[in-house]
Each structure stands twice: as C-alpha cells, then as structure tokens.
Amino acid sequence: MAMPTSVWHEYGFRGNPYSTDPIEVSAAGRELLIGREQELALIGRHLTGGASVVALEGDFGVGKTSLAAVAAFDAAQWSKEGGPLFLAMDTRLSLRPEDTRESFERRVVRAVAHVLVANAGSLKSGGRPLDGVEGVKRWLQAPEAGGWNASLGANVGGVAGGNAGFGKARTPNTSTGFAELGIAEIVDGWLAQLFPNRDSGGVLCFLDNLEELNDSGTALNVMEPLRDPLFKRPGLRWIISGAQGMVRAAYASPKMAGVFLNPIDVRPLPHKLVPQVIFARMKALQDQDDAVAPVSMTAFANLYRSIGQNLRYALNLSERYAFDSDPDELRGISEADRDLRFHESVLREADLVYAAQARDLGAADWKVFDHLLRSKAGSCSPSEYKDFGYAQMPPLLSRVRKLTEAHLVSYQIDEADQRRRTISVTDHGRLAYYRHVNDA
Ligand SMILES: Nc1ncnc2c1ncn2[C@@H]1O[C@H](COP(=O)(O)OP(=O)(O)O)[C@@H](O)[C@H]1O
Ligand SMILES: [Mg+2]
C-alpha cells in the first residue's frame, strides 16, 4: 500500500501547526515563542546574577517548558557577545519518587556529557578545547558495550599521561560503574575548566514537571540529597519547573534554603497575543501558497478565551479537529465558514460534557469556576477563599466539592503538607466552560 500523505500536507503545511509539543531549544523554536519578554528578562537576570536554580511555577500547559527552552537558547547566545558561556541541555530531566542521588546523578552526568560533547567543536574553535571528547562520545553511544573502556585505551593512552584529571589512578576494567565514575570525573574536569567561577556561566540543566513527585514530602525527600551535589554543583545551573504549587513548596522548605530564588510565576499568555502563536507556526510550516489553516488565528484565539486560557488544551482541540476534518472540504469554503464549523464542532463536544456532568451546577458553583479560570489561571489554593468572595474556607469547599463531583475541577491535598492544597480546572471543565460562555 502506498504511504498516505500527511494530513498536514493536504492542508498545505510541512508539519502540524497545532502540535502540543513544547518549543525546542533552537533558533527555529525561538521564532515560535510569543510574548514572555518579562519572564525572559527575569530569567536572564537570575542567570547572570549567578543563581543556581531558576524556578518556574505555573499550571499545566501554560508554557513553562517552552519558556525555559527559549530562555536557555537566548542564554546560549550571550557568549557570542562577550558574555558568560551558557550551554543549553537538549534533553529534559525529571525526578521520580523512587529516585536516589545516584540514579539522578547518573542521568545528569550523561546529559551534561552529551551537551559538552555536542559543543566540543565550537568550544575548540573558540580556544577552549576539551580533552578526551572522542572517548566520552563513544561511551555515550554504547555505554554497556564497554565503549568507554575501549576508548580509554585508545585515547588516553595516546595522550601519555598528559591528561591530569582522570586517567591516572584507575585501572581500566569492564564494569559500567567504573565507566560512570570515570565519566563523572571527566565531566567535572571539563566543567571546572570552562566555568572557573559563577560569573563564567554553566551548563543549563532542565528539571521539568516537579509535580510528578506527587506530594511535597516526597519532593523534599528526593530533592534534599541533590541539593549540594547537583543543584549547587560548580558549572551546573538549573531551570526547574512545576505545577500545582510544587515549586513553591520546595522553595519554602528550609531544606532547600539558599538554593532557589523566588519562583517566577508563569501566567497564561495574554489573549491578545494568542493569534500570533498560530501565525508564527503557519509561517514556519507553510509549504503551499494556498495553504488553509483548519483553525484560523482568530478561531484559535476565541477558543483559547472560551476554554479559560490554556495553550496546550487549545492546541490539542485544534489538532484533533484538523485530523478529523476533510482537507478538501475545508479548502472549498471561506475562512468565516471554516471558523463557524470549528466552533460548532467544539460546541458539540462541549454540549456532551455539559449535559453529562455540569447540568446540575448552580449559579454559585459557576461563579467559583469562573473566578478560578479567569483570575486564578485555572489553579489555586482554597486558602485564597477571600478572593472568591467568601468569609471562610468551608463554603468555598462545598462549591469545590460540587465542581469535583461534576469532574470540572480536581482537588488535591498534599499528604505531607496539609496546607498545600490545590484546586485545578480539568480539561473537561474547560470544555464545559466553552459551552457555558457560548450559551446563547
Ligand atoms: N509563549 C508561547 N508562544 C507560543 N507557543 C507557546 C508559548 N508557550 C507555550 N506554547 C505552546 O503551548 C504548548 C504548551 O506549552 P508547554 O511549554 O509544554 O507548557 P507547560 O510546560 O507549562 O506544560 C506547547 O505546544 C508550546 O509549544
Ligand atoms: Mg512542561
């Protein structure tokens, strides 16, 4: 069977303009990030000021990972203008509850080795050659196969003891553990050479989705042992992001004192900038003059507003619609008609959710939901009850219970820290809201 053409090609694009993937660390990615000037400036100040950890807190899908990627890309350009040297990690690290210092450190060392090897060429032409790059490169490609040890003989032997950092003391053997240790030593040597002090920059490491550690007790137990050996390791600088107050919880803990600066709040992208998100993507991906966007800039911005401002979910709904529609059919009608069709399609889905789950909600419930979406960017703590117009927490919690039963919000209590409670809007809640605000 012949390979089917991509649906995006049929719309006239090289790729998916509604992809929900985060923006990548690259010049092309830079072009896709809209707004965020203030946040970028703040991250830049934290980095040039020598912060070990820049922390980003914000709801799911708001744009934290993308912001971090572009901030890192920008920072990596500074050395070209005589600024400090920042090298951006091209992978994202995450922590799991079962992680130990050793398991995490292994992943970090590997990722850092990868960045340094990838940049070795340009570092060399900039007068900062790294010793032993070929060996590390081979080990990265085949660590289990003992590639490292094989290369140890070939490379280091050739340098005849001239490589002060690592070759001297250890007898080569075939264990991966040894290789890991050897790699860590080399990497630290490289870091010390490239970044003799805090002002000289560092390798930017991403630790994403801290909320995956579930509760703040686990988060702190996992993170505390990493504090000095990793978060404060010379030559490494961190961008850590998380949702649901997890970054704030870590920041507020005495166990992490002195590591984090004040976390940067990542709020939803202002509605008026949202058409540009689609515009930038269309510009980057268009490959036919008569390309047709199944969801136009305007339709997308309307959607974004009517689901309470969440980029990832707006992209996800648009992507699904584009997949399910017939490109030929959409090409044959006007943009206004296409927009109407999209609206009707989302409304149909929203109606189903609404009828199944939200029909019995009263005005007071909707008022809470509305405030949560509009003023709290979809997520907050019940301790903010006053902002909802309540004099006490319990009446707010009864509204939250009704919304939870209707699956429009989720309510989580941190087992380790009862004060860390989060009310967050669900995707279903966002769809129901679409129906609610478009209710004629
Ligand atoms: N400022 C922005 N401009 C354009 N697109 C963005 C912006 N921020 C996020 N996006 C897009 O929105 C989606 C969600 O962003 P992401 O960074 O993954 O959010 P988070 O990490 O907060 O969950 C991604 O597809 C990303 O490309
Ligand atoms: Mg993310």
Side-chain angles (χ1 to χ4, degrees):
M1 195 183 93
M3 195 176 85
T5 32
S6 128
V7 61
W8 310 116
H9 184 76
E10 290 177 36
Y11 285 117
F13 297 99
R14 262 188 299 278
N16 175 3
Y18 311 107
S19 160
T20 54
D21 293 342
I23 290 174
E24 289 174 8
V25 186
S26 68
R30 184 72 188 82
E31 296 297 310
L32 298 180
L33 190 90
I34 306 301
R36 300 295 186 209
E37 285 81 11
Q38 284 181 0
E39 291 87 345
L40 287 169
L42 204 51
I43 297 172
R45 270 213 300 285
H46 283 202
L47 289 177
T48 50
S52 309
V53 175
V54 178
L56 306 177
E57 170 78 52
D59 200 12
F60 301 109
V62 81
K64 301 175 295 295
T65 304
S66 302
L67 172 61
V70 172
F73 177 79
D74 284 356
Q77 313 307 309
W78 295 339
S79 68
K80 293 179 189 156
E81 302 153 32
L85 174 68
F86 282 101
L87 301 174
M89 195 173 265
D90 49 6
T91 47
R92 295 187 293 272
L93 299 160
S94 60
L95 275 172
R96 291 179 285 274
E98 65 276 15
D99 263 319
T100 60
R101 169 187 165 172
E102 288 70 27
S103 64
F104 187 61
E105 189 165 15
R106 263 202 299 280
R107 298 206 294 281
V108 173
V109 166
R110 205 169 277 236
V112 172
H114 200 270
V115 180
L116 291 170
V117 165
N119 282 279
S122 60
L123 288 169
K124 189 172 176 188
S125 38
R128 305 196 231 203
L130 303 175
D131 275 342
V133 169
E134 284 309 313
V136 175
K137 194 188 271 178
R138 242 166 303 175
W139 179 80
L140 284 170
Q141 282 158 2
E144 296 80 16
W148 166 243
N149 290 309
S151 63
L152 195 72
N155 265 339
V156 180
V159 185
N163 208 337
F166 65 97
K168 51 181 187 197
R170 294 176 193 280
T171 323
N173 64 38
T174 49
S175 83
T176 312
F178 160 74
E180 300 269 7
L181 266 176
I183 294 289
E185 260 179 63
I186 298 181
V187 165
D188 278 330
W190 286 347
L191 291 173
Q193 173 196 339
L194 294 172
F195 312 109
N197 55 49
R198 232 144 233 284
D199 297 332
S200 41
V203 172
L204 283 169
C205 307
F206 295 120
L207 175 53
D208 217 3
N209 301 333
L210 212 55
E211 74 282 353
E212 285 174 1
L213 288 170
N214 299 330
D215 65 86
S216 60
T218 309
L220 289 171
N221 285 340
V222 174
M223 288 174 79
E224 193 187 9
L226 310 178
R227 188 195 129 114
D228 295 324
L230 286 157
F231 297 142
K232 303 207 111 181
R233 195 183 194 111
L236 298 189
R237 310 290 282 277
W238 294 81
I239 302 184
I240 299 187
S241 81
Q244 304 205 307
M246 193 61 106
V247 169
R248 290 209 168 272
Y251 163 71
S253 156
K255 291 183 179 176
M256 297 300 285
V259 178
F260 286 46
L261 293 180
N262 207 353
I264 296 171
D265 253 321
V266 186
R267 308 269 310 167
L269 198 65
H271 171 248
K272 67 172 194 307
L273 296 181
V274 168
Q276 294 177 48
V277 171
I278 299 302
F279 183 77
R281 287 164 172 238
M282 287 178 10
K283 200 170 121 199
L285 293 172
Q286 180 165 357
D287 75 348
Q288 292 161 27
D289 288 341
D290 60 348
V292 152
V295 179
S296 72
M297 293 183 270
T298 330
F300 184 80
N302 286 338
L303 171 72
Y304 179 78
R305 189 174 40 197
S306 300
I307 59 167
Q309 311 204 104
N310 185 278
L311 268 181
R312 178 169 315 123
Y313 193 47
L315 289 165
N316 177 244
L317 287 169
S318 305
E319 176 183 44
R320 275 166 33 200
Y321 173 77
F323 262 118
D324 292 346
S325 303
D326 176 353
D328 283 337
E329 217 175 299
L330 291 188
R331 275 175 179 279
I333 60 178
S334 71
E335 180 170 319
D337 285 342
R338 281 196 295 271
D339 288 358
L340 186 63
R341 249 193 220 213
F342 176 59
H343 166 67
E344 282 167 349
S345 155
V346 179
L347 198 57
R348 264 195 305 279
E349 200 178 334
D351 266 336
L352 291 177
V353 169
Y354 193 90
Q357 297 167 342
R359 222 182 355 213
D360 300 332
L361 295 175
D365 303 316
W366 280 112
K367 196 167 161 233
V368 166
F369 192 70
D370 200 80
H371 192 76
L372 181 62
L373 268 181
R374 284 168 185 260
S375 306
K376 300 291 181 189
S379 171
C380 76
S381 158
S383 63
E384 298 167 53
Y385 58 85
K386 285 202 182 106
D387 301 347
F388 286 80
Y390 289 99
Q392 289 167 327
M393 200 191 293
L396 172 63
L397 287 179
S398 358
R399 302 274 78 90
V400 169
R401 192 171 328 112
K402 282 201 71 182
L403 292 166
T404 311
E405 282 161 10
H407 304 287
L408 303 200
V409 307
S410 72
Y411 180 47
Q412 270 152 355
I413 301 179
D414 192 323
E415 277 173 32
D417 177 359
Q418 293 281 319
R419 287 162 309 176
R420 186 179 152 258
R421 300 176 181 205
T422 10
I423 309 168
S424 346
V425 174
T426 62
D427 284 351
H428 266 164
R430 293 186 182 279
L431 258 188
Y433 192 69
Y434 191 92
R435 156 67 210 265
H436 183 66
V437 295
N438 285 295
D439 197 9

